[in-house]
Structures are given as C-alpha cells and as structure tokens.
Amino acid sequence: MLDKTYCPEKVEAKHYERWEKSGAFSADPNSPSDPYTIMMPPPNVTGNLHMGHALTFTLQDVLVRYKRMKGHDVLWQPGTDHAGIATQMVVERQLAEKGISRHDLGREKFLNSVWEWKEESGGAIVKQLRHLGASADWPRERFTMDEGLSEAVRKVFVQLHKEGLIYKDKRLVNWDPKLLTAISDLEVVQKESNGKLWHFRYPIDGEDGKYIVVATTRPETMLGDSGVAVHPDDDRYKDLVGKNVKLPIVGRLIPIVADEYADPETGSGAVKITPAHDFNDFEVGRRCNLEMINIFDRFAHINENAPDDYQGLDRFVARKKIVAKFEELGLLDKIEDHLNSVPYGDRSNVPIEPWLTDQWYVDAATLAKPALEAVETGKTEIVPKQWENTYYDWMRNIQPWCVSRQLWWGHQIPAWYGPDGEIFVEETEEEAKAAAFTQFGKEVELIRDPDVLDTWFSSALWPFSTIGWPETTKELERYYPGDVLVTGFDIIFFWVARMMMMGMHFMKEVPFKTVYIHALVRDENGQKMSKSKGNVIDPLEVISEYSCDALRFTLAAMAAPGRDIKLASSRVEGYRNFGTKLWNASIYSQMNGAVYDPNFDPLSCNEPINKWIVGRVAAATAAVDKALDDYRFNDAANALYRFFWNEYCDWYVEFTKPVLAAGNEATSNETKATIAWVLAQTLHLLHPIMPYITEELWENLGNEEAAPLISSSWPKFDERHTDADVDKEMDWVIKLISDIRATRAELNTPPKLKAPLLLKDGSDAVKAKVDQYKDVVKWLAGLSSVDFTDEDLPQGAIQIVLDDATFALPLEGIIDVEQETARLNKEMEKTLEEIAKIDKQLSNENFVSRAPEHVVAEKKTRREEFMSVKTKLDEALARIANL
C-alpha cells in the first residue's frame, strides 16, 4: 500500500541508482531500432547547475525518455567542456591562496595542477545533472581535452591550415589586460557608467587658427590616432578632405578622410580614427589605408609608440594627463556628461581593450557558406523559425574567427616556429621537425606556439569528435548526424553556427537535423537572474523544497516557444500539488481494489463512462505526441495536466464513485480495471516529464513482473479507442452538471443544501439519458432528486436550458431571495465602479500616451475581466428576479 504522502528525497535517489545500474540510459550501436541522437551541450567543468541548465537539460531529458519509450535506440551523448579561462582562474586562485603563481610553477607543473583539480573537484555539475534526473549515457561521457578529442582538434587545425582556412594575422581583438589574453565576444559584458565626452580641437595643418573638433570618451587613445573621418556628403568639410591635421601632443600629421562611418548628425560630424584601438576605426583604417598605431602594451599601459612623458602610464592615468594637456594647450573645446557603455571582461571585471595583435584566425566566411545553405534549404531546421533570421544575419556578416588565447590551459596550438620565423603546422612535434628538415636541409631548433585554442574550437567538433572521429566507428556511422540540438539563443553564433561549419566541412553533412532554441529563465518579474540583483533561483534548492518532478514539470509547462519563462516559486508549488493529486489518485485506485492488469483490453469496455475515459486517454496521447514531435513542451505538459486533473480526477473518478457503490459485480470489475488501466497510461505519458513519481507509482500499481516504466513502451491508440457517440453523450452529462453547479454558485446556494431538479418538455432521448445518469447527476450536482414533469414549473424555479430540454431548480426556501438580491446588487455596484475607474484612465490621453504599453494592456485586460463579471451578475439577477 502506498504511503499517505509522497517523499521525493527517498524516491529520487532510489530510482536514479536503479536506472543507471540497469543500463536503461545506454545506447546500443548494434540495435535494430532506429537511432535517435541528442548531443548534450557540454557544461563547463567548473560550473554549477543554474536554472538555465535546469531548463535545457530537462527538455533534452523529456525528449530522450519519450523517444526511448517510442522504441528508438537513443544516444544522449554527455560530456563537459574544459572551459579555458574559467578553469585556469579557479586553479590560479587556489595557488594564490598559497602565495604561488602559475609562473612560479612553470607551464608543465601548472597544467598538472589543473588536471589534479579537474579529477578531484571538477565536474560537480555532472552529479547535479543526475540529481535533475538527466538520463544521459554516462559511460560514454567525454571531456573536450581527453585524448580522443585532442587528436580531433589537432587534425582539424592542421587540415584547415593546409587548406588556407587557418592563418595568422594582425587584427583587433578583445584584450583582457588583467588576464592577459584575447577573449570572445561572449566573454564581454557591457556596463553602463556615468562618464564624460571630451571635445578636442585638432589644428588644420598650414591654416593658423583653424580647427576641426572631434569628440571621444577615451582621450588616451588619441595618442594612436592616424586620421580624422568626415562623411563624404557633409558640405561643411568637403574642402578639408585630403588635408592634414596636426595631432596635438604627438605632433604627427594625420589626414582628413571621407568615410560613411562618420555621422553628420552626431556631434561635429568629424570622428577621430584610432585603427589599432577601436573595431569600427579598424575597418575605416583599412578602407582609407590609415596607419595602425598600437599605443598600449598587454597591461593596457602606454607603450614606446607614444611620447616619452606618457610611456609606462596606466591608461586611466594617461587619460587625466592628456585632458590636462589639452586644456593647457587651449585645445579642450568642452566636456559633456555622457552615459557610457563600457565593455568589461566577464571574469576579470576590468574594461577590455580593442588591441592590435598577431593572432590565429579561421576563415569563417568560407566555412559559413555551406552552413548557411544547409539552413536555407531545410537540411537543418531552426525552431522557433524566428531564430533563423538571427542565424542568417550572423552568418552573412561573419568576420574572421580569432581562435588563439594567451592561456596555458587548453589545446595548445600545433604550430612550431623555425629560426627565421617560418611556421610549421603539424599534428606532432616529430612531423614539424621533419617538415623543418625538408625546409632547411638540416635539423633546426623549433619553438612551439605557446597559445591555446579558443574553447569554442574544440566544442565546434563535439557532434562528431565525441563518437569517434577521426576514426571510423560504429557510433560515428550510426549516430551522426544527430536528430536535435537543444540550446539557448545566446550561443547560436558561438556554438551552433560553428558546429554547423565544422560538421559540413569535415563530415560533409549537417551535425543535427533540428536546432531547438529555448528562451531564458527569468525571475517572476521578468528580470534576468543575477547575483548582483539577488534574484537567482537555485534549482537544487527548488528540488529540495518541492521535488525534482515539480521543477521539471514547471519548466516544461512554461517553455512556450519564443517566450521567456517568468519563474516563481508559487508555480513550482502548484505543480508539486499536481504530483500530490497523482499520488492521491493512485491511493484511491488501491483503496478501491483497482489493480493493473497488463492483459486488460480497453476495447472490451461496455460502460459509457469507461468507454469515454478510454477515448480521452487516446486523445491526450495524440496531443502529447504531436506537441513533443513539434518541440512544444508547454503544450505537452498542459495537455497532460488538463487530462489528468480535469477529465480523470474531476470527472471520471467522480463518475466511478456511484458506480462502485452500486454493487453490480460486472460493472464494478470493469470500472476497477479501467481505473487502474487509465492510471497506468497516465504514468506512461507523464514519465518523460515527471520520471520519479511515475516510476514509484508504476512500481506500486500491482503488476510486480512489469518492466520499469523507463523501459516500457509508449501508449499506442487508433480510431477504435474513441467512440464519438459516447463522447457526445458524456459531454452532454458534464455540461448539465456544470450548468447546475454554475447556477447554484451564482445564486450562492449552500453546497450542503440539496435541491430538486425537474425536467420539462424533454424528448424521449433526453429522458433516457437523464434516467441513465440520474445517480451521477444527483451525486455531482448536489441534488435531492431528479424527476420529470409535464405540469407548469413551480413559482420561483430557476430554469436551465440544454439543447431542447428545460431543467428547473425550485429554490424556494433554499435561498433568501431578498438577501441574495442585495448581495448581487452590491457586487454589481463594485464592479461598475471598477469599470468606470478604468474607463476614466483609458479615456485620458495624457495617461495613455505616457504609461508603458504593458500597463495600458493590463488595464484593458482588467476591464474585460470586470465586464465578464458584470455579464454573470446580470444573468444571476435576471434569474433571481423570477423567483
């Protein structure tokens, strides 16, 4: 017998251990079943489970459990990412606590320390994913720096280099002057700050007293200016294009150039150009053939390319000194307050610098073409479709991809430098030495490039490197390409696009057929979660309080395509209550002797209520099938919720009570068997979303020889399981009961007071239905009797018309007409006041024009709700007036 209450903490640990030990999560390359593949986005080895992880891994787990039950051979390939900067910082902080730096250890010993940390402490998130119920094929777990993946990385780098698709170039990068490495755009956060906009006068060369005014938020960069740009159509400056200005402080002559980057409507219309320290300026510099002058060292201190007085100064110290010098020279035009958006390194928390430096680049534009065409032609579908435009925009405007990082932890670039700077790119040092020997005719000293590759480089190979490539394996042949990738929109470019590029180039086939993009999980007010705001919701704490199943169901139910999730604990609590309802329904089944019989045939049912619920199970299954196949997780969850709570619990279970109480053995036995069968199908349908409670209840249904639910087959139905006549009949009965309940509720009839029901002028068919379901209607509508009459209805009877039949509730003596009329009029008065108040606001043009759109929309919605209340009150007053 089931316990009175569900204890998730005991159940979750028990079942997960059983599932994993039984091999229920495992793929089988030799299986005759159709394969189904999902590649797990590898979380950082340094990471901890956050609500974004909880969403993406829940949705993936829903899909893989669903597909397993549908008979597929499922591979959910797990693994973790080495997370270059993040992992290196963790270990460096630990060493710093001991007073040691990585440079004290040297590269080799430092890397040994990182590997030791990874083995002992890294990968906590994998344990947390197990806690979430993630049923990945854990024995196949990979790490982006394990030997197999490292071999794949080396092979890809070397091949792309030999094809001319990887090269070294001097370009601008996001430079972190604290971590001393280039970082990706994803590792840059924009922070708003109250700053200044300095307007400087640059003297026109050879024209005493004439200046051109430029504005900047970063005065220190003027030391590296190599031009001033104006718009080619700006009449104010047409006669200056081609002339020079004399750069203050530096004394260098720099040209005035015409370029459409300059906006005539902004400031003076003239823009200082610093190609080595601004991404837009870099492009202007290339177009206009301007000098690239780097005035920062790697610490963001002024270097030897600036005047002596400024060399060695920190950039912000130099800023103050430069502004003071401009003021001294009389060249400071004005200073304005300005709200700046400053790029910061997300881990170092210092402003990053666009910095001109030699780095390794991938020719992303060339690799992007087949990846772009794959989505355009439907080889890969992006869901929701709106994200295709984001993908197209990025891929059509793609820039060279900087793949080198000045770190020690990561895949070291397989490039060696000879004595004359010649570069030898090979998979091993031996091959590099052989290439150098061929080049020089003798053995020469080679020095390996110290840089490592961007983490996204190895992640881009994930769909094929994890299953054996560059070797030809059974797994590679069977599980590539994958079926679906589930991920967030923030890494469409950083990861999705790059996997597409690498997959198309090396496998000649897309890495996945579908990309499902889910939205963000925000707090209940729609704010992005962050530690600084104090609004972070810890999924592990939510699981501890409400259960894993409750969190999973909440995330699935709220995962509407294209809409962010506003998560509140009240929603999770509500879905925990849904689990409680499931538990209690199972107890009801046990208490009434309803034992699951695997041989029970739902088509053998004779009782209409049993036929009806069989049809509702079939309809719910079809709805869940369609929703999950279309990646509409919210529709699947909500269809299950409506079926179980409304149709099964609210109606079917209540229908069964008078049937079981009647004592007819044949009818009772069929109904008990149906109760258990419906519950079993419900557990199957709910299992992908709520795996723990469903497995526990399945174990207690009474069929000890049944396979675990995780290994059971998904329910299958056809048109035979739905009886349209029975559906129509039962819908009529439900409508009658609902109308009676609604009428009694409107008139505030005490539930305990039983009222009689009279049927007048009903057809023989209606009378037959009423007679057949009399006991059920009395039970569920709170009636004292159900009778037919040909006489006039008694004075004061409330009438209910359903199809061609008139039903009457004689309520004389059951309600106080005068008191109830007064109550309804008082409610009406309040409702009309609220409507008038909203109408006054909405007719106020000042309010409508100034209020945010969502506030106005909420007011209109609120008005509609009050109007609905008014309509119901009107109907209730009209009814009571006839009493």
Side-chain angles (χ1 to χ4, degrees):
M1 192 71 181
L2 287 167
D3 292 338
K4 188 175 180 182
T5 56
Y6 175 55
C7 298
E9 59 276 6
K10 294 179 183 177
V11 168
E12 290 169 7
K14 174 183 75 174
H15 284 300
Y16 196 92
E17 185 178 2
R18 285 183 186 174
W19 291 332
E20 190 167 7
K21 282 184 177 178
S22 73
F25 304 162
S26 299
D28 179 7
N30 298 311
S31 169
S33 302
D34 291 337
Y36 181 83
T37 309
I38 294 184
M39 288 289 163
M40 176 184 289
N44 286 355
V45 71
T46 58
N48 284 297
L49 192 73
H50 57 62
M51 204 53 82
H53 288 132
L55 172 63
T56 193
F57 291 116
T58 291
L59 299 185
Q60 289 171 73
D61 195 51
V62 168
L63 290 173
V64 299
R65 287 177 183 269
Y66 168 65
K67 289 295 184 178
R68 280 195 200 104
M69 295 176 79
K70 295 277 277 188
H72 290 267
D73 169 36
V74 173
L75 171 63
W76 187 12
Q77 174 63 53
T80 51
D81 190 273
H82 64 278
I85 292 180
T87 304
Q88 183 159 317
M89 284 182 66
V90 167
V91 178
E92 285 198 70
R93 276 197 298 267
Q94 291 179 345
L95 291 173
E97 290 171 3
K98 303 173 185 176
I100 303 171
S101 78
R102 65 179 163 118
H103 300 285
D104 295 332
L105 290 178
R107 185 168 190 142
E108 186 176 346
K109 289 184 178 178
F110 174 75
L111 292 178
N112 288 337
S113 297
V114 181
W115 278 108
E116 286 172 11
W117 173 86
K118 190 264 178 185
E119 293 305 319
E120 294 172 13
S121 309
I125 194 168
V126 171
K127 296 175 185 174
Q128 294 165 351
L129 287 174
R130 284 176 161 89
H131 200 38
L132 185 67
S135 59
D137 194 344
W138 294 114
R140 295 180 182 274
E141 183 182 346
R142 302 301 299 269
F143 178 53
T144 49
M145 280 188 60
D146 68 31
E147 184 46 45
L149 271 68
S150 295
E151 181 187 352
V153 167
R154 292 191 297 270
K155 185 173 183 64
V156 165
F157 188 95
V158 172
Q159 183 174 326
L160 289 177
H161 181 265
K162 292 185 186 303
E163 293 171 353
L165 296 172
I166 280 185
Y167 56 90
K168 251 196 150 174
D169 195 10
K170 188 181 286 290
R171 295 178 63 91
L172 282 191
V173 295
N174 298 310
W175 182 261
D176 190 314
K178 180 178 179 181
L179 300 179
L180 304 180
T181 181
I183 60 176
S184 73
D185 289 343
L186 193 64
E187 293 158 323
V188 176
V189 292
Q190 299 293 331
K191 295 186 179 182
E192 287 194 343
S193 63
N194 293 315
K196 303 290 182 183
L197 186 64
W198 288 271
H199 295 256
F200 293 152
R201 297 172 185 158
Y202 283 9
I204 307 295
D205 182 47
E207 299 186 25
D208 289 345
K210 285 193 70 175
Y211 306 93
I212 192 166
V213 176
V214 297
T216 181
T217 59
R218 305 174 66 222
E220 63 277 14
T221 64
M222 60 80 49
L223 298 173
D225 285 358
S226 59
V228 172
V230 296
H231 195 279
D233 298 331
D234 193 334
D235 291 335
R236 293 172 295 176
Y237 300 116
K238 279 191 174 180
D239 62 331
L240 293 180
V241 174
K243 294 185 178 181
N244 294 324
V245 298
K246 190 171 185 178
L247 187 62
I249 298 176
V250 180
R252 186 167 61 241
L253 292 180
I254 60 176
I256 299 172
V257 297
D259 193 275
E260 291 185 353
Y261 170 65
D263 183 0
E265 304 298 322
T266 301
S268 67
V271 186
K272 61 184 284 300
I273 302 299
T274 320
H277 299 292
D278 181 277
F279 288 100
N280 289 316
D281 291 8
F282 179 79
E283 297 301 329
V284 176
R286 284 203 160 182
R287 288 195 294 269
C288 298
N289 199 29
L290 299 178
E291 192 178 357
M292 308 274 178
I293 304 169
N294 190 349
I295 51 98
F296 289 131
D297 65 13
R298 62 192 187 125
F299 300 99
H301 293 168
I302 306 299
N303 68 14
E304 69 282 358
N305 293 328
D308 292 347
D309 289 350
Y310 299 89
Q311 290 179 18
L313 294 180
D314 175 81
R315 53 187 162 164
F316 299 117
V317 174
R319 174 181 295 182
K320 293 178 182 177
K321 189 168 182 176
I322 287 167
V323 171
K325 187 65 176 178
F326 266 84
E327 190 168 21
E328 178 188 325
L329 295 170
L331 297 176
L332 180 59
D333 191 68
K334 61 179 176 179
I335 304 174
E336 295 176 316
D337 290 331
H338 186 74
L339 185 63
N340 285 337
S341 182
V342 181
Y344 276 73
D346 66 344
R347 291 184 174 85
S348 64
N349 200 32
V350 300
I352 65 103
E353 281 293 340
W355 197 45
L356 189 65
T357 179
D358 287 314
Q359 300 285 348
W360 287 95
Y361 288 89
V362 170
D363 179 357
T366 298
L367 290 177
K369 288 174 185 175
L372 183 61
E373 183 265 348
V375 176
E376 289 172 336
T377 58
K379 292 175 186 171
T380 292
E381 180 186 8
I382 297 179
V383 180
K385 197 171 180 65
Q386 69 201 55
W387 290 111
E388 283 185 3
N389 291 330
T390 302
Y391 178 84
Y392 292 151
D393 184 56
W394 278 334
M395 297 296 266
R396 289 168 182 161
N397 297 286
I398 201 165
Q399 296 296 309
W401 172 19
C402 175
V403 293
S404 45
R405 299 289 182 266
Q406 290 64 55
L407 302 171
W408 286 357
W409 173 245
H411 293 279
Q412 192 171 353
I413 290 173
W416 286 260
Y417 298 95
D420 61 351
E422 183 76 16
I423 304 174
F424 300 94
V425 175
E426 302 291 348
E427 291 185 45
T428 65
E429 186 172 5
E430 289 70 26
E431 290 173 346
K433 286 179 177 178
F437 188 87
T438 301
Q439 174 85 7
F440 295 105
K442 61 179 180 179
E443 289 189 1
V444 295
E445 182 184 7
L446 296 180
I447 298 174
R448 187 166 185 180
D449 193 311
D451 290 352
V452 300
L453 286 163
D454 175 15
T455 300
W456 297 105
F457 190 91
S458 49
S459 298
L461 316 182
W462 191 253
F464 51 92
S465 64
T466 51
I467 50 177
W469 192 91
E471 300 298 322
T472 302
T473 63
K474 280 186 179 180
E475 286 82 358
L476 191 64
E477 291 178 354
R478 180 168 176 78
Y479 300 115
Y480 188 96
D483 288 88
V484 62
L485 176 76
V486 178
T487 189
F489 66 84
D490 52 335
I491 54 174
I492 293 176
F493 175 67
F494 291 96
W495 191 43
V496 178
R498 288 164 179 172
M499 283 191 288
M500 289 287 288
M501 290 190 287
M502 293 299 192
M504 293 299 293
H505 193 75
F506 287 95
M507 300 297 294
K508 310 305 179 190
E509 202 172 354
V510 295
F512 20 73
K513 298 159 193 167
T514 303
V515 178
Y516 173 75
I517 305 292
H518 61 71
L520 287 176
V521 185
R522 299 180 179 271
D523 71 10
E524 60 187 305
N525 299 313
Q527 297 294 311
K528 191 171 181 179
M529 293 186 195
S530 70
K531 291 179 181 177
S532 60
K533 292 178 182 175
N535 64 345
V536 172
I537 303 173
D538 186 338
L540 297 175
E541 290 179 6
V542 174
I543 288 171
S544 178
E545 184 171 0
Y546 297 110
S547 83
C548 179
D549 290 324
L551 175 61
R552 287 170 60 112
F553 200 98
T554 304
L555 293 171
M558 299 182 75
R563 191 185 310 159
D564 284 348
I565 293 173
K566 295 180 182 179
L567 187 65
S569 57
S570 59
R571 295 297 296 265
V572 188
E573 184 178 12
Y575 289 120
R576 180 194 60 187
N577 296 342
F578 178 72
T580 301
K581 190 85 167 176
L582 184 64
W583 191 264
N584 290 340
S586 302
I587 290 175
Y588 171 80
S589 176
Q590 285 190 342
M591 288 175 61
N592 284 280
V595 178
Y596 176 64
D597 178 2
N599 297 314
F600 173 74
D601 181 5
L603 295 175
S604 67
C605 290
N606 295 308
E607 287 300 306
I609 60 167
N610 294 331
K611 287 185 174 183
W612 173 75
I613 198 63
V614 168
R616 300 322 300 151
V617 171
T621 303
V624 175
D625 274 334
K626 182 171 186 348
L628 291 182
D629 290 342
D630 291 343
Y631 307 103
R632 301 189 71 90
F633 299 92
N634 60 315
D635 288 349
N638 292 328
L640 287 166
Y641 188 98
R642 285 192 303 272
F643 162 73
F644 181 73
W645 195 294
N646 301 130
E647 295 176 335
Y648 182 76
C649 293
D650 286 354
W651 292 110
Y652 179 69
V653 167
E654 295 303 319
F655 285 157
T656 65
K657 289 177 181 177
V659 173
L660 296 177
N664 181 298
E665 185 176 359
T667 303
S668 180
N669 287 343
E670 178 191 300
T671 302
K672 288 178 184 178
T674 307
I675 289 171
W677 177 85
V678 174
L679 189 58
Q681 307 314 303
T682 303
L683 297 178
H684 280 72
L685 296 176
L686 277 169
H687 179 75
I689 303 177
M690 304 180 82
Y692 290 115
I693 191 171
T694 53
E695 190 72 87
E696 181 69 9
L697 290 173
W698 174 249
E699 195 176 81
N700 284 275
L701 264 186
N703 181 31
E704 296 178 0
E705 295 179 3
L709 194 54
I710 192 174
S711 304
S712 299
S713 296
W714 188 255
K716 288 182 182 178
F717 301 100
D718 55 41
E719 66 278 358
R720 296 173 302 156
H721 293 89
T722 303
D723 188 320
D725 293 335
V726 167
D727 280 356
K728 187 176 180 181
E729 187 172 288
M730 293 308 302
D731 288 346
W732 187 90
V733 174
I734 290 170
K735 180 74 165 61
L736 174 60
I737 295 167
S738 299
D739 285 354
I740 296 169
R741 286 175 171 177
T743 300
R744 294 190 59 165
E746 285 172 6
L747 299 176
N748 212 25
T749 308
K752 291 183 180 179
L753 291 179
K754 305 294 184 184
L757 180 72
L758 297 174
L759 168 61
K760 180 178 171 60
D761 300 330
S763 65
D764 290 343
V766 169
K767 288 178 180 178
K769 277 192 285 193
V770 171
D771 194 51
Q772 182 178 357
Y773 295 103
K774 183 185 297 185
D775 291 341
V776 170
V777 174
K778 281 173 59 178
W779 170 267
L780 294 178
L783 303 174
S784 58
S785 60
V786 178
D787 295 302
F788 307 133
T789 183
D790 293 325
E791 301 176 3
D792 292 338
L793 294 173
Q795 185 70 27
I798 297 295
Q799 294 185 22
I800 300 169
V801 178
L802 182 60
D803 295 337
D804 60 347
T806 302
F807 294 88
L809 284 170
L811 295 177
E812 188 177 0
I814 294 179
I815 64 170
D816 185 321
V817 175
E818 189 175 329
Q819 182 180 342
E820 187 58 22
T821 302
R823 182 187 71 81
L824 290 170
N825 280 322
K826 191 172 182 181
E827 280 192 36
M828 178 65 83
E829 188 178 334
K830 287 181 182 177
T831 301
L832 291 173
E833 284 177 4
E834 291 294 339
I835 293 171
K837 195 185 299 181
I838 295 172
D839 283 345
K840 186 177 180 181
Q841 286 181 307
L842 292 177
S843 62
N844 183 336
E845 289 185 15
N846 195 33
F847 168 78
V848 174
S849 62
R850 292 188 177 185
E853 283 184 22
H854 74 275
V855 171
V856 176
E858 285 170 7
K859 292 286 182 187
K860 290 179 179 178
T861 301
R862 192 79 176 126
R863 187 185 189 280
E864 289 174 6
E865 291 170 354
F866 279 121
M867 287 301 295
S868 177
V869 172
K870 178 184 177 298
T871 300
K872 289 180 179 178
L873 289 171
D874 280 333
E875 292 171 356
L877 283 166
R879 283 175 170 165
I880 205 166
N882 294 322
L883 293 178

